[in-house]
Amino acid sequence: MELFGRHAEAAALDRLLDRAAHGSGSGLVLWGEPGIGKTALLEHAVEAASDATVLRCRGSRMEAGLAFAALHELLWPVMDRLDRLAAPQAAALRGALGLSRDTTNRFLIGAAVLSLVSDLARERPVLVAVDDAQWVDEATAHCLGFLARRVANGPVAVLLTGHEDPASGPWEGLPALEVVGLADDDARRLLVAAAPGADEALVDRTIRAAGGNPLALHELPTIDHEPDGDPPLGRSGDLTPVGPRLRRAFGSRAMAMTPPARALLLLAAAEDRGDRHVVHRAGADWGVDTPTWDEVLRSGLIRATGARLEFRHPLIRAGVYDGAPFLDRQAAHRALAVAVPRDATAERAWHLAAAADTVDEDVATLLEQAAEQCLQRSAGPMAARTLRRAAELSPEPAEAARRLAAAARAAWDAGDAEAARQLLDDAERLGGELLVARLSGGLRGILEFAYGMPERAHRYLVCDMAVVPGARGAVELGTVAVRAAWSAGRPDLQQEALQRLLAVDTDGDPALSELLPVLRVWWSCYDQTGEVTPTAPEMASGTVSRLGTAAWELLPPVPLAQAWGIEGSLLDVLREQAVHLRRRHELTALALVLAQTAVLDIAAGRWDAAETAAADGLRLAEEVGADHVATQCRVSLGALAAARGDHRTVDEHTTQILQVSVPRGVRGLSASAYLHRGRAALFDGRPQDALSHLMPLAEPGHEAAHPTCALLAAMDTVESAVQLGNADVVEPQVAMVETWAQRTGATWARTIGHRLRALVLGGPAAEASFQAALDVAGAADYPFEYARTRLLYGEWLRRARRRADARIQLAGAAEIFDRLGAKPLRARALSELALAESPRVRLVPSRTDEAGLTTQELRVARLAAKGLTNREIAAHLLISPRTVGHHLAKVYSKLGITSRAELARIDFAGGMRLRAAGD
């Protein structure tokens, strides 16, 4: 038997056996709550005592009243040795075991057992193993206590297991070791071994419920049924149902108590809140008096601290409740419903619901009121469970559907999408899709948008706009419908949803009347073909900041906000929304807000804050199973990895993004994965690879085609194309950015427009564009892109042989890249800076005495030695292929070689010597 996490206990048992083997016997009591693993440790000791004689027995509640019943089981294998005892001892033991009518006394019997065991120990060590000693009959218990206290000078070990600390009783004075619950890591290992098919959610839930109890860890994953009747719906939620073994383990002690004590335990288990006064009032008519309280508290099953009651272990409470007959549980809940304070509406409703066995509209109404109180306290999961029970008690299907729809919304707000989807399905079976769409506020489409396919979500949402109550609900659904079409990269569907949204009658609501024009501007980015629309009304200043009190569904996706250049105002809104969502415990929406905040922090150069927000959002999203939101968080983490040169992390995140987004048609996320792969390649000096990732963003019908992402990627697409001399790609991209800059006036677009024009122009005309890019008001608020502009400008200045001016730009770029942690571009900036500072590097080749290579010649030589073609070297160093050929000719001349084959044999790290062929 494999033990998990029992190193200290196993070591104690090994020491006990080792001492006994060397003639120093002793006893040991392993004690702890039922199921904690005492029997497993006992079995470990029996298995370890392979060279010993093992006498063992197990206490039984059924035989606890039969004198010497356990001793009979213990000694049965060695009955043939009774004749070797002294006659008085043998006669006493035979009488105790029912083998004769001889009179007995306890001392003689104890002495006989000690003599018998000592006789066995002369041949080999003896282990006496007694399991469930709490059920051993009293006569045997005194005998075993007598034995355990008198084996110190012999090779005998007495090992007992029980529920109680042996501070008194027959085991008093014996060494004791309390067996406690497993640590979470060990509990997880045991659970995975016991239930290898359990999913992560079941594993986590079981570990929380089991409290380190191994029996619970074995049994709870196999239970897929609710206990008979409904458990109480108190603050801590439903009781964990326990199976038969746990019920026996935890309920056996209660069954041995007096009827009033069992009633008191049941009342305490059903009450759930630990309110001693309520339990006391409820038990008044059940014969629960002061002696009953004393009996229960002495049992150790319950602890009392002032007015609070607490079971020693949650599974004891569950075992007591689950083991009681349903009629007794009903009676307990009815008594508690009467005993709770008058203003405790929710508690009364929960107890009446637990006692109900037929439909009851009055109780359902009380439960609905209780659910409203839960929602006011941001207790969404509790509200969902309460409403579900209210639906079960509803006599009318329509009322049941209404309550199930409300439960679905509460579950969604609490971040439990799977429960929300199941509740919606149940509601639709009772009330139909349109009714449930109205009652749930169009939740089906929102769920599909968050977890499924955006095009399907668009269809649901557009239809449900017509049935949800109130103009605000229609606007919220319409906005999500537009956003779903945007996520799918479908400008045609985006325009369709936008027209539906703008047609909503705001019913004189001034807030909505002010919002609709803003939404129209935000979403009127492209025509139905995806082309940038040439004109649009201006964005009203300050409107974005007033969204702080709006629902999160109204906020635009961050890439679109970036395109418009309004991310500063949006960041304030998102932070305010995050505070409210944390307070209301709306986990899915909070994860989405964190994902979007991370994007804005990246653009603003707050990379550590962005990483924290994205990681927190990813953790939350994975907890609630929000795949799309988790993918958005991975987008930010992938963006950071690309800029930092962490290719493994880029591959990891983008692969996971595409696994989720491509099958569901979420082109906005697929495009982001392609973008970050392209950027990683560009920053690594691989423009051809970069372009192969970036071009699909503007390719109609591609899995990553997305107009907004293509616009934001234009800066990288153009830079890659310029390095490769691909003029066909460059001009359309530059024109797209310049058109957007003219339309919106966004800082980023104006900056990038000038920068790209500088790359296109080249020569002396480029300088004015570089300067214009750096001079755009607010350009420095985007430090990474600002540094990229300075890097490109510095490289242009160096090629123009204006080394002093180049050093200023390159040093500034390198400093920003260093602060951000953008390693690849920092290395590129420092390399360019070295070229600007040191025009020549003197080397000592093997075939020339004084000849030296310039720094640029050395760079060309190294790349050519690696097998790169002239065109590839030119793209890497931002020079022309003709210039590469010129440099190579100089390299061949200075090194005294005539071919690339010889160049590949140059030892650049070892004195520029020509290695022998085959080295």
PDB file of all heavy atoms in Angstrom, residues 359 361 391 394-405 426-432 435-436 439:
ATOM      1  N   VAL A 359     -44.098  20.931  -4.573  1.00  0.00           N
ATOM      2  CA  VAL A 359     -44.026  22.326  -5.000  1.00  0.00           C
ATOM      3  C   VAL A 359     -44.721  23.210  -3.964  1.00  0.00           C
ATOM      4  O   VAL A 359     -45.677  22.799  -3.302  1.00  0.00           O
ATOM      5  CB  VAL A 359     -44.682  22.513  -6.377  1.00  0.00           C
ATOM      6  CG1 VAL A 359     -43.881  21.794  -7.438  1.00  0.00           C
ATOM      7  CG2 VAL A 359     -46.126  22.041  -6.373  1.00  0.00           C
ATOM      8  N   GLU A 361     -45.386  27.485  -3.793  1.00  0.00           N
ATOM      9  CA  GLU A 361     -45.140  28.825  -4.311  1.00  0.00           C
ATOM     10  C   GLU A 361     -44.729  29.789  -3.206  1.00  0.00           C
ATOM     11  O   GLU A 361     -43.910  30.675  -3.429  1.00  0.00           O
ATOM     12  CB  GLU A 361     -46.387  29.346  -5.034  1.00  0.00           C
ATOM     13  CG  GLU A 361     -46.263  30.770  -5.574  1.00  0.00           C
ATOM     14  CD  GLU A 361     -45.123  30.926  -6.564  1.00  0.00           C
ATOM     15  OE1 GLU A 361     -44.777  29.937  -7.254  1.00  0.00           O
ATOM     16  OE2 GLU A 361     -44.564  32.041  -6.655  1.00  0.00           O
ATOM     17  N   ALA A 391     -37.095  27.552  -8.425  1.00  0.00           N
ATOM     18  CA  ALA A 391     -37.716  27.039  -9.649  1.00  0.00           C
ATOM     19  C   ALA A 391     -38.248  25.628  -9.437  1.00  0.00           C
ATOM     20  O   ALA A 391     -39.324  25.268  -9.931  1.00  0.00           O
ATOM     21  CB  ALA A 391     -36.705  27.062 -10.791  1.00  0.00           C
ATOM     22  N   SER A 394     -41.561  25.779  -7.819  1.00  0.00           N
ATOM     23  CA  SER A 394     -42.571  26.601  -8.480  1.00  0.00           C
ATOM     24  C   SER A 394     -43.660  25.727  -9.101  1.00  0.00           C
ATOM     25  O   SER A 394     -43.353  24.846  -9.921  1.00  0.00           O
ATOM     26  CB  SER A 394     -41.933  27.465  -9.569  1.00  0.00           C
ATOM     27  OG  SER A 394     -40.929  28.295  -9.026  1.00  0.00           O
ATOM     28  N   PRO A 395     -44.936  25.973  -8.772  1.00  0.00           N
ATOM     29  CA  PRO A 395     -46.015  25.151  -9.362  1.00  0.00           C
ATOM     30  C   PRO A 395     -46.214  25.401 -10.852  1.00  0.00           C
ATOM     31  O   PRO A 395     -46.575  24.497 -11.594  1.00  0.00           O
ATOM     32  CB  PRO A 395     -47.254  25.580  -8.563  1.00  0.00           C
ATOM     33  CG  PRO A 395     -46.734  26.274  -7.347  1.00  0.00           C
ATOM     34  CD  PRO A 395     -45.433  26.887  -7.748  1.00  0.00           C
ATOM     35  N   GLU A 396     -45.966  26.666 -11.307  1.00  0.00           N
ATOM     36  CA  GLU A 396     -46.228  27.019 -12.698  1.00  0.00           C
ATOM     37  C   GLU A 396     -44.941  26.972 -13.522  1.00  0.00           C
ATOM     38  O   GLU A 396     -43.930  27.543 -13.117  1.00  0.00           O
ATOM     39  CB  GLU A 396     -46.834  28.422 -12.785  1.00  0.00           C
ATOM     40  CG  GLU A 396     -48.175  28.565 -12.099  1.00  0.00           C
ATOM     41  CD  GLU A 396     -49.225  27.678 -12.744  1.00  0.00           C
ATOM     42  OE1 GLU A 396     -49.135  27.465 -13.975  1.00  0.00           O
ATOM     43  OE2 GLU A 396     -50.115  27.190 -12.028  1.00  0.00           O
ATOM     44  N   PRO A 397     -44.958  26.324 -14.713  1.00  0.00           N
ATOM     45  CA  PRO A 397     -43.754  26.272 -15.562  1.00  0.00           C
ATOM     46  C   PRO A 397     -43.210  27.651 -15.913  1.00  0.00           C
ATOM     47  O   PRO A 397     -41.986  27.839 -15.974  1.00  0.00           O
ATOM     48  CB  PRO A 397     -44.238  25.522 -16.807  1.00  0.00           C
ATOM     49  CG  PRO A 397     -45.393  24.706 -16.328  1.00  0.00           C
ATOM     50  CD  PRO A 397     -46.065  25.529 -15.273  1.00  0.00           C
ATOM     51  N   ALA A 398     -44.086  28.622 -16.159  1.00  0.00           N
ATOM     52  CA  ALA A 398     -43.619  29.955 -16.535  1.00  0.00           C
ATOM     53  C   ALA A 398     -42.819  30.584 -15.402  1.00  0.00           C
ATOM     54  O   ALA A 398     -41.792  31.237 -15.631  1.00  0.00           O
ATOM     55  CB  ALA A 398     -44.806  30.843 -16.905  1.00  0.00           C
ATOM     56  N   GLU A 399     -43.300  30.408 -14.159  1.00  0.00           N
ATOM     57  CA  GLU A 399     -42.579  30.946 -13.014  1.00  0.00           C
ATOM     58  C   GLU A 399     -41.248  30.225 -12.826  1.00  0.00           C
ATOM     59  O   GLU A 399     -40.235  30.840 -12.496  1.00  0.00           O
ATOM     60  CB  GLU A 399     -43.435  30.825 -11.752  1.00  0.00           C
ATOM     61  CG  GLU A 399     -44.576  31.810 -11.679  1.00  0.00           C
ATOM     62  CD  GLU A 399     -44.056  33.240 -11.652  1.00  0.00           C
ATOM     63  OE1 GLU A 399     -43.426  33.636 -10.664  1.00  0.00           O
ATOM     64  OE2 GLU A 399     -44.260  33.963 -12.654  1.00  0.00           O
ATOM     65  N   ALA A 400     -41.276  28.917 -13.045  1.00  0.00           N
ATOM     66  CA  ALA A 400     -40.030  28.161 -12.939  1.00  0.00           C
ATOM     67  C   ALA A 400     -39.026  28.634 -13.988  1.00  0.00           C
ATOM     68  O   ALA A 400     -37.836  28.808 -13.695  1.00  0.00           O
ATOM     69  CB  ALA A 400     -40.315  26.668 -13.109  1.00  0.00           C
ATOM     70  N   ALA A 401     -39.502  28.868 -15.222  1.00  0.00           N
ATOM     71  CA  ALA A 401     -38.609  29.352 -16.283  1.00  0.00           C
ATOM     72  C   ALA A 401     -38.039  30.713 -15.927  1.00  0.00           C
ATOM     73  O   ALA A 401     -36.847  30.991 -16.154  1.00  0.00           O
ATOM     74  CB  ALA A 401     -39.374  29.426 -17.604  1.00  0.00           C
ATOM     75  N   ARG A 402     -38.880  31.581 -15.387  1.00  0.00           N
ATOM     76  CA  ARG A 402     -38.418  32.919 -15.007  1.00  0.00           C
ATOM     77  C   ARG A 402     -37.309  32.836 -13.958  1.00  0.00           C
ATOM     78  O   ARG A 402     -36.286  33.525 -14.055  1.00  0.00           O
ATOM     79  CB  ARG A 402     -39.586  33.740 -14.471  1.00  0.00           C
ATOM     80  CG  ARG A 402     -39.218  35.158 -14.052  1.00  0.00           C
ATOM     81  CD  ARG A 402     -40.444  35.929 -13.590  1.00  0.00           C
ATOM     82  NE  ARG A 402     -41.039  35.351 -12.399  1.00  0.00           N
ATOM     83  CZ  ARG A 402     -40.577  35.546 -11.164  1.00  0.00           C
ATOM     84  NH1 ARG A 402     -39.491  36.274 -10.967  1.00  0.00           N
ATOM     85  NH2 ARG A 402     -41.186  34.990 -10.129  1.00  0.00           N
ATOM     86  N   ARG A 403     -37.502  31.977 -12.984  1.00  0.00           N
ATOM     87  CA  ARG A 403     -36.508  31.864 -11.911  1.00  0.00           C
ATOM     88  C   ARG A 403     -35.233  31.181 -12.397  1.00  0.00           C
ATOM     89  O   ARG A 403     -34.128  31.535 -11.978  1.00  0.00           O
ATOM     90  CB  ARG A 403     -37.130  31.121 -10.732  1.00  0.00           C
ATOM     91  CG  ARG A 403     -38.124  31.995  -9.972  1.00  0.00           C
ATOM     92  CD  ARG A 403     -39.106  31.241  -9.113  1.00  0.00           C
ATOM     93  NE  ARG A 403     -39.956  32.179  -8.372  1.00  0.00           N
ATOM     94  CZ  ARG A 403     -41.163  31.889  -7.903  1.00  0.00           C
ATOM     95  NH1 ARG A 403     -41.680  30.682  -8.102  1.00  0.00           N
ATOM     96  NH2 ARG A 403     -41.852  32.807  -7.240  1.00  0.00           N
ATOM     97  N   LEU A 404     -35.369  30.226 -13.289  1.00  0.00           N
ATOM     98  CA  LEU A 404     -34.175  29.598 -13.855  1.00  0.00           C
ATOM     99  C   LEU A 404     -33.389  30.585 -14.708  1.00  0.00           C
ATOM    100  O   LEU A 404     -32.148  30.574 -14.704  1.00  0.00           O
ATOM    101  CB  LEU A 404     -34.576  28.382 -14.697  1.00  0.00           C
ATOM    102  CG  LEU A 404     -34.992  27.134 -13.920  1.00  0.00           C
ATOM    103  CD1 LEU A 404     -35.582  26.098 -14.863  1.00  0.00           C
ATOM    104  CD2 LEU A 404     -33.810  26.547 -13.160  1.00  0.00           C
ATOM    105  N   ALA A 405     -34.080  31.424 -15.463  1.00  0.00           N
ATOM    106  CA  ALA A 405     -33.394  32.440 -16.268  1.00  0.00           C
ATOM    107  C   ALA A 405     -32.645  33.409 -15.369  1.00  0.00           C
ATOM    108  O   ALA A 405     -31.501  33.807 -15.655  1.00  0.00           O
ATOM    109  CB  ALA A 405     -34.406  33.183 -17.140  1.00  0.00           C
ATOM    110  N   ASP A 426     -32.383  24.546 -19.188  1.00  0.00           N
ATOM    111  CA  ASP A 426     -33.544  24.117 -18.402  1.00  0.00           C
ATOM    112  C   ASP A 426     -34.691  25.126 -18.532  1.00  0.00           C
ATOM    113  O   ASP A 426     -35.861  24.743 -18.648  1.00  0.00           O
ATOM    114  CB  ASP A 426     -33.152  23.962 -16.929  1.00  0.00           C
ATOM    115  CG  ASP A 426     -32.150  22.833 -16.712  1.00  0.00           C
ATOM    116  OD1 ASP A 426     -32.023  21.974 -17.611  1.00  0.00           O
ATOM    117  OD2 ASP A 426     -31.494  22.819 -15.654  1.00  0.00           O
ATOM    118  N   ALA A 427     -34.343  26.408 -18.507  1.00  0.00           N
ATOM    119  CA  ALA A 427     -35.372  27.448 -18.612  1.00  0.00           C
ATOM    120  C   ALA A 427     -36.055  27.407 -19.976  1.00  0.00           C
ATOM    121  O   ALA A 427     -37.281  27.551 -20.084  1.00  0.00           O
ATOM    122  CB  ALA A 427     -34.751  28.814 -18.368  1.00  0.00           C
ATOM    123  N   GLU A 428     -35.273  27.197 -21.045  1.00  0.00           N
ATOM    124  CA  GLU A 428     -35.850  27.182 -22.386  1.00  0.00           C
ATOM    125  C   GLU A 428     -36.768  25.986 -22.592  1.00  0.00           C
ATOM    126  O   GLU A 428     -37.755  26.067 -23.328  1.00  0.00           O
ATOM    127  CB  GLU A 428     -34.728  27.192 -23.425  1.00  0.00           C
ATOM    128  CG  GLU A 428     -34.032  28.543 -23.523  1.00  0.00           C
ATOM    129  CD  GLU A 428     -32.836  28.517 -24.465  1.00  0.00           C
ATOM    130  OE1 GLU A 428     -32.484  27.419 -24.951  1.00  0.00           O
ATOM    131  OE2 GLU A 428     -32.245  29.583 -24.701  1.00  0.00           O
ATOM    132  N   ARG A 429     -36.461  24.867 -21.944  1.00  0.00           N
ATOM    133  CA  ARG A 429     -37.352  23.715 -22.055  1.00  0.00           C
ATOM    134  C   ARG A 429     -38.718  24.013 -21.433  1.00  0.00           C
ATOM    135  O   ARG A 429     -39.738  23.467 -21.859  1.00  0.00           O
ATOM    136  CB  ARG A 429     -36.716  22.497 -21.380  1.00  0.00           C
ATOM    137  CG  ARG A 429     -35.688  21.790 -22.239  1.00  0.00           C
ATOM    138  CD  ARG A 429     -35.329  20.435 -21.685  1.00  0.00           C
ATOM    139  NE  ARG A 429     -34.569  20.553 -20.442  1.00  0.00           N
ATOM    140  CZ  ARG A 429     -33.240  20.626 -20.398  1.00  0.00           C
ATOM    141  NH1 ARG A 429     -32.539  20.612 -21.522  1.00  0.00           N
ATOM    142  NH2 ARG A 429     -32.609  20.719 -19.248  1.00  0.00           N
ATOM    143  N   LEU A 430     -38.734  24.882 -20.445  1.00  0.00           N
ATOM    144  CA  LEU A 430     -39.996  25.218 -19.777  1.00  0.00           C
ATOM    145  C   LEU A 430     -40.702  26.410 -20.408  1.00  0.00           C
ATOM    146  O   LEU A 430     -41.929  26.455 -20.455  1.00  0.00           O
ATOM    147  CB  LEU A 430     -39.732  25.528 -18.293  1.00  0.00           C
ATOM    148  CG  LEU A 430     -39.288  24.351 -17.421  1.00  0.00           C
ATOM    149  CD1 LEU A 430     -38.901  24.842 -16.039  1.00  0.00           C
ATOM    150  CD2 LEU A 430     -40.397  23.316 -17.317  1.00  0.00           C
ATOM    151  N   GLY A 431     -39.937  27.413 -20.887  1.00  0.00           N
ATOM    152  CA  GLY A 431     -40.558  28.657 -21.327  1.00  0.00           C
ATOM    153  C   GLY A 431     -40.306  29.056 -22.762  1.00  0.00           C
ATOM    154  O   GLY A 431     -40.865  30.059 -23.223  1.00  0.00           O
ATOM    155  N   GLY A 432     -39.427  28.358 -23.475  1.00  0.00           N
ATOM    156  CA  GLY A 432     -39.132  28.734 -24.853  1.00  0.00           C
ATOM    157  C   GLY A 432     -38.000  29.744 -24.943  1.00  0.00           C
ATOM    158  O   GLY A 432     -37.688  30.455 -23.982  1.00  0.00           O
ATOM    159  N   LEU A 435     -38.888  33.815 -24.601  1.00  0.00           N
ATOM    160  CA  LEU A 435     -39.204  34.207 -23.232  1.00  0.00           C
ATOM    161  C   LEU A 435     -37.940  34.235 -22.388  1.00  0.00           C
ATOM    162  O   LEU A 435     -37.692  35.192 -21.635  1.00  0.00           O
ATOM    163  CB  LEU A 435     -40.216  33.236 -22.622  1.00  0.00           C
ATOM    164  CG  LEU A 435     -40.543  33.465 -21.129  1.00  0.00           C
ATOM    165  CD1 LEU A 435     -41.214  34.817 -20.933  1.00  0.00           C
ATOM    166  CD2 LEU A 435     -41.416  32.339 -20.584  1.00  0.00           C
ATOM    167  N   VAL A 436     -37.123  33.215 -22.521  1.00  0.00           N
ATOM    168  CA  VAL A 436     -35.909  33.141 -21.714  1.00  0.00           C
ATOM    169  C   VAL A 436     -34.906  34.210 -22.139  1.00  0.00           C
ATOM    170  O   VAL A 436     -34.191  34.778 -21.301  1.00  0.00           O
ATOM    171  CB  VAL A 436     -35.301  31.730 -21.800  1.00  0.00           C
ATOM    172  CG1 VAL A 436     -33.936  31.680 -21.122  1.00  0.00           C
ATOM    173  CG2 VAL A 436     -36.244  30.716 -21.178  1.00  0.00           C
ATOM    174  N   LEU A 439     -36.130  37.250 -20.353  1.00  0.00           N
ATOM    175  CA  LEU A 439     -35.945  37.166 -18.910  1.00  0.00           C
ATOM    176  C   LEU A 439     -34.471  37.211 -18.495  1.00  0.00           C
ATOM    177  O   LEU A 439     -34.134  37.715 -17.430  1.00  0.00           O
ATOM    178  CB  LEU A 439     -36.585  35.880 -18.380  1.00  0.00           C
ATOM    179  CG  LEU A 439     -38.109  35.775 -18.511  1.00  0.00           C
ATOM    180  CD1 LEU A 439     -38.586  34.379 -18.114  1.00  0.00           C
ATOM    181  CD2 LEU A 439     -38.792  36.832 -17.653  1.00  0.00           C
TER     182      LEU A 439
END
